[in-house]
Amino acid sequence: MDVRRRPPKLPRVAENEPRAVSSSSPPPKASDALPLPLYLTNAIFFTLFFSVAYYLLHRWRDKIRSSTPLHVVTLSEIAAIVSLIASFIYLLGFFGIDFVQSFISRASNDAWDLDDEDSNAARPPPTPMPKLVAPEPIITALSTVEDEEIVKSVVDGSIPSYSLESKLGDCKRAALIRREALQRVTGRSLQGLPLDGFDYESVLGQCCEMPVGYVQIPVGIAGPLLLDGFEYSVPMATTEGCLVASTNRGCKAIYTSGGAVSTLLRDGMTRAPVVRFSTAKRASELKFFLEDPNNFDTLAVVFNRSSRFARLQNIRCSLAGKNLYIRFCCSTGDAMGMNMVSKGVQNVLEFLQSDFPDMDVIGISGNFCSDKKPAAVNWIEGRGKSVVCEAIIKEEVVKKVLKTSVASLVELNMLKNLTGSAIAGALGGFNAHAANIVSAIYIATGQDPAQNVESSHCITMMEGVNDGKDLHVSVTMPSIEVGTVGGGTQLASQSACLNLLGVKGASKESPGSNSRLLATIVAGSVLAGELSLMSAIAAGQLVNSHLKYNRSSRDMTKATS
């Protein structure tokens, strides 16, 4: 029978007896099977290959000249052809010697054997995969046998994790049991993620599902920010060193120069469903109907039924073939307003079905809104609150507080924020770091952090005024999306930060004024942050300040343990 060859067996030893390992004997090689040394064998086959190739070419040339058929071969020509093939096969194997060596080595490990015991003994034991990080010990916080049984039920899947709050009627206990089950399933400890000291009832059905703890983010205060004649201490939740200090320096420069002035340009949240018709002509008929001023009052009545604060402002449509994108814009009071505008849009779509029964609603949002994505429509048309904020910084303040000059700031702003961003193809990103300030204030005041994307659209302008002695600086932000009611604004920590700014909750005297004021504070804070960072870059202080405030020599391994 056909059995693959294998290397000679090693002498068998007992399991408890150590094996003798010879470090001097090299592993077998493919060239060991050759009768002659490798260099002589190679020379012979190289010479043979080129000799017979030359001989055959010479013979075939003579046949062509004498009109002799090439398939008529002599015994010597047959021998030459065989030699050519044999030498070619050898040379091919020689140049692939590494492959041959690996194949023989692999074959020797996997060689067949009629004796199963010998085969198993020759097979090397599997190498265990190393673990990248050793898991920390899991510390349980369960106090009752009943909780232990519930954890086991969650682990084995008989009780869904998401239903713990409704089954237990205690949100904190549900978070504790979910946390313990998660540690057992993953084998990883959540020690360090705090559980106590948080009101889990406040997030139920509103802010976060299936909680297992909360993350601590430090809140710093920048200011006072002198804006429109009032002073504001701006809370900023961040883990980036130097951010609060830099914004605070910008606030000082603005305060010393007499303060900043803001103007609210627009206030309207948007939602844009996408609908489809059988033809583009039919879709265009709905477009003309929606954009006809004679129909607006009727559509506004239908839309405004969704809320006592929702007020439809305008409708803009965009056609893509037989698909129509309808962008509704409305005021939303002190709420950020996404849910409010979505309800109004739903009312209008149901109303339109009577006159356009062939309208197929594909989605309540067709991304023409556009929410949580960089989009030119928000940069041009605006979304939420559109604000411009400006200040004139005196020459002596630029020199003493910001440590630079007016000319340097104007030049840097042109080359960095304007030209550099244009070269990069920026969309609404003609600024130094507006997203830094927006994100920090959003987290501190309970806004949706994901809306930082379009809310950070900002163009920063700087120019010399008063014969070039003073600096005029402004930020224009067309889509600041904020609210002072709903969502995370109702949590205790975030509510406290809103209260610090004087914009907590809904305004009873003038609905919407609190959210509009918050938007102007965001813009004023961005103005301060832009002014300070640009000054640090112009003065060459950026690296040194980050090394001072954004680096720590503390041993975090010992700190966490």
Side-chain angles (χ1 to χ4, degrees):
M1 63 181 178
D2 184 14
V3 179
R4 264 190 296 170
R5 296 186 59 189
R6 60 177 183 172
K9 296 181 181 179
L10 296 174
R12 299 181 60 183
V13 296
E15 293 183 358
N16 56 355
E17 182 178 337
R19 298 192 179 197
V21 180
S22 176
S23 59
S24 60
S25 58
K29 299 180 179 179
S31 58
D32 294 343
L34 299 176
L36 296 176
L38 183 62
Y39 71 96
L40 290 178
T41 307
N42 291 342
I44 291 174
F45 276 96
F46 265 110
T47 303
L48 179 63
F49 177 80
F50 289 107
S51 298
V52 297
Y54 175 79
Y55 171 75
L56 290 174
L57 290 175
H58 182 74
R59 288 290 300 161
W60 290 339
R61 186 186 63 179
D62 292 342
K63 288 183 178 183
I64 293 173
R65 288 178 177 177
S66 60
S67 300
T68 303
L70 295 179
H71 64 272
V72 178
V73 293
T74 62
L75 184 61
S76 61
E77 291 174 345
I78 293 175
I81 293 174
V82 172
S83 300
L84 180 69
I85 296 174
S87 59
F88 176 77
I89 293 174
Y90 170 80
L91 292 177
L92 181 64
F94 167 72
F95 286 112
I97 197 71
D98 288 338
F99 168 75
V100 175
Q101 174 64 43
S102 64
F103 179 81
I104 291 177
S105 176
R106 186 170 65 251
S108 64
N109 288 334
D110 298 336
W112 296 349
D113 194 358
L114 300 180
D115 187 351
D116 293 339
E117 184 179 354
D118 290 348
S119 177
N120 293 333
R123 184 176 300 149
T127 303
M129 293 295 292
K131 292 185 178 180
L132 297 179
V133 180
E136 298 179 359
I138 297 176
I139 301 176
T140 181
L142 300 180
S143 57
T144 65
V145 177
E146 182 183 1
D147 286 351
E148 178 66 30
E149 294 298 323
I150 298 175
V151 168
K152 292 180 180 178
S153 299
V154 174
V155 171
D156 62 27
S158 57
I159 296 180
S161 178
Y162 61 81
S163 66
L164 286 174
E165 280 81 4
S166 60
K167 288 183 177 296
L168 300 177
D170 185 339
C171 292
K172 182 179 179 181
R173 183 184 174 200
L176 171 63
I177 291 175
R178 182 181 295 111
R179 178 191 183 103
E180 181 66 24
L182 179 63
Q183 291 185 133
R184 296 186 186 182
V185 170
T186 61
R188 297 285 176 175
S189 173
L190 288 178
Q191 186 71 18
L193 181 68
L195 178 70
D196 297 327
F198 190 82
D199 181 13
Y200 293 95
E201 301 282 348
S202 63
V203 302
L204 179 63
Q206 177 174 299
C207 296
C208 180
E209 297 75 39
M210 296 186 288
V212 294
Y214 60 97
V215 174
Q216 297 167 310
I217 301 179
V219 177
I221 295 297
L225 171 67
L226 183 57
L227 179 65
D228 299 323
F230 295 92
E231 297 181 8
Y232 302 96
S233 296
V234 183
M236 302 176 66
T238 181
T239 56
E240 179 184 354
C242 202
L243 177 59
V244 178
S246 177
T247 308
N248 188 68
R249 183 176 75 151
C251 290
K252 179 180 179 182
I254 294 172
Y255 191 100
T256 308
S257 298
V261 178
S262 66
T263 303
L264 186 77
L265 305 175
R266 284 185 297 264
D267 181 10
M269 182 50 63
T270 63
R271 174 60 86 197
V274 53
V275 299
R276 176 184 293 169
F277 290 87
S278 58
T279 63
K281 183 178 185 302
R282 185 62 172 156
S284 63
E285 291 176 1
L286 177 57
K287 171 181 167 64
F288 296 143
F289 176 85
L290 292 172
E291 294 181 344
D292 187 347
N294 296 324
N295 298 325
F296 180 80
D297 290 340
T298 302
L299 296 173
V301 170
V302 176
F303 185 97
N304 297 344
R305 287 191 313 217
S306 62
S307 169
R308 58 194 178 101
F309 297 108
R311 293 296 178 265
L312 184 63
Q313 295 176 347
N314 60 71
I315 302 175
R316 297 179 183 273
C317 299
S318 183
L319 199 65
K322 58 182 182 178
N323 304 302
L324 183 64
Y325 296 81
I326 314 167
R327 194 171 192 258
F328 293 83
C329 181
C330 78
S331 60
T332 57
D334 283 308
M336 184 269 290
M338 286 297 299
N339 293 334
M340 193 182 301
V341 68
S342 295
K343 292 177 182 177
V345 168
Q346 188 66 44
N347 290 343
V348 174
L349 292 177
E350 293 174 358
F351 172 78
L352 292 174
Q353 287 286 357
S354 59
D355 292 330
F356 296 88
D358 53 337
M359 179 181 69
D360 184 14
V361 179
I362 303 301
I364 190 67
S365 175
N367 275 8
F368 187 41
C369 312
S370 172
D371 186 43
K372 302 174 184 176
K373 291 166 284 292
V377 67
N378 292 336
W379 176 240
I380 298 171
E381 298 289 342
R383 188 172 196 255
K385 278 72 174 172
S386 299
V387 182
V388 59
C389 188
E390 62 182 340
I392 295 178
I393 310 301
K394 297 178 181 179
E395 182 182 23
E396 57 268 24
V397 176
V398 173
K399 291 181 179 179
K400 294 181 180 179
V401 178
L402 301 178
K403 311 298 183 184
T404 184
S405 65
V406 173
S408 297
L409 282 173
V410 172
E411 181 182 32
L412 177 63
N413 186 73
M414 180 187 67
L415 296 179
K416 172 183 168 61
N417 289 340
L418 304 183
T419 308
S421 296
I423 291 176
L427 178 60
F430 298 90
N431 58 80
H433 70 149
N436 251 341
I437 293 90
V438 172
S439 296
I441 299 177
Y442 272 28
I443 296 173
T445 59
Q447 311 303 313
D448 189 339
Q451 289 185 323
N452 163 70
V453 175
E454 62 267 35
S455 296
S456 297
H457 282 181
C458 172
I459 182 168
T460 300
M461 304 291 293
M462 294 183 182
E463 62 176 291
V465 294
N466 300 329
D467 297 327
K469 294 181 179 180
D470 300 331
L471 175 72
H472 180 275
V473 56
S474 67
V475 293
T476 305
M477 306 179 68
S479 50
I480 301 178
E481 300 166 350
V482 292
T484 57
V485 296
T489 65
Q490 299 180 113
L491 301 180
S493 301
Q494 289 81 347
S495 180
C497 290
L498 289 171
N499 186 60
L500 176 65
L501 294 171
V503 295
K504 177 183 176 180
S507 173
K508 297 180 180 179
E509 294 79 14
S510 177
S513 61
N514 281 352
S515 62
R516 289 191 289 269
L517 177 56
L518 178 58
T520 61
I521 294 173
V522 171
S525 302
V526 169
L527 181 70
E530 290 288 282
L531 187 61
S532 182
L533 177 59
M534 292 293 288
S535 300
I537 296 175
Q541 300 171 338
L542 179 65
V543 175
N544 291 334
S545 61
H546 273 273
L547 289 176
K548 179 180 179 180
Y549 291 101
N550 205 22
R551 296 290 292 271
S552 174
S553 59
R554 184 182 180 189
D555 188 348
M556 297 309 297
T557 303
K558 296 179 179 179
T560 55
S561 62

